[in-house]
Amino acid sequence: MRTDLITREGFEALQQELNYLWREKRPDVTAKVAWAASLGDRSENADYQYNKKLLRETDRRIRFLRKRLEVLKIVDYSPQQDGRVFFGARVEIENEQGEQLTFRIVGPDEIYGRKDYISIDSPMARALLKKAVDDEALVPTPSGSKLWFINSIRYAVAAD
């Protein structure tokens, strides 16, 4: 299951990606396809085949982003969240062996390319929701449940 929540920063990043793909990348690739097609025999034209494939991939991503942006719900910070783990929180946790992790709980569309973000749908985020500093969270893993302690919770009022 995929949650349709997103931070304002994540939503704006997806909008920027869509604008770039539609206004810059797609016209550029379309021009290359037209140029390569004008050279003649398309069956052996590597420029044509490569750019045609790139155009299909770009169009697929544009369609996905348009549909996804329609259903996403932006979750903004609220002062009522302070002191507890909710969507958008940056959480520092520690286990019994002293290992520490710090991450931000965000929507599934925001985690790609970021090692410091986890999805609200992940078992770790689900176990931490509504917990406070110094609370324990039992996180289910394939090798059994793991115990984590919450060291700090903070919310970024401005973009991180």
Side-chain angles (χ1 to χ4, degrees):
M1 189 173 115
R2 195 172 179 165
T3 303
D4 292 334
L5 301 178
I6 193 166
T7 63
R8 184 159 305 278
E9 304 90 61
F11 189 82
E12 289 169 0
L14 291 180
Q15 279 185 320
Q16 286 176 353
E17 180 185 358
L18 176 61
N19 287 336
Y20 165 75
L21 291 173
W22 182 248
R23 295 188 178 159
E24 294 178 37
K25 186 171 183 180
R26 190 177 193 286
D28 182 49
V29 174
T30 304
K32 288 178 184 176
V33 168
W35 169 79
S38 72
L39 297 177
D41 187 9
R42 296 176 187 171
S43 64
E44 294 182 16
N45 186 333
D47 280 332
Y48 177 81
Q49 291 174 356
Y50 171 77
N51 285 301
K52 192 71 173 167
K53 179 179 181 248
L54 187 58
L55 183 60
R56 282 191 306 270
E57 291 169 357
T58 303
D59 284 344
R60 186 176 317 124
R61 182 67 179 167
I62 288 170
R63 279 190 307 277
F64 171 80
L65 288 172
R66 283 184 173 160
K67 288 179 183 178
R68 194 72 182 131
L69 287 169
E70 286 177 6
V71 298
L72 288 172
K73 294 168 191 68
I74 298 172
V75 177
D76 287 316
Y77 165 77
S78 168
Q80 298 166 337
Q81 294 173 309
D82 282 341
R84 298 231 173 248
V85 177
F86 289 105
F87 188 84
R90 186 164 301 280
V91 184
E92 181 184 300
I93 58 174
E94 184 176 354
N95 66 11
E96 294 171 319
Q97 290 76 37
E99 297 174 72
Q100 291 187 348
L101 296 175
T102 302
F103 48 79
R104 185 173 184 203
I105 299 173
V106 296
D109 297 287
E110 299 177 80
I111 61 173
Y112 301 103
R114 299 287 307 248
K115 295 202 182 292
D116 60 337
Y117 280 16
I118 66 168
S119 171
I120 187 76
D121 298 327
S122 69
M124 175 70 81
R126 293 286 181 196
L128 293 173
L129 284 178
K130 299 182 183 176
K131 302 275 192 226
V133 173
D134 294 330
D135 282 356
E136 298 176 353
L138 204 56
V139 181
T141 68
S143 62
S145 294
K146 306 283 183 189
L147 186 64
W148 292 88
F149 304 96
I150 300 174
N151 289 339
S152 73
I153 304 165
R154 63 183 176 87
Y155 290 89
V157 179
D160 270 344

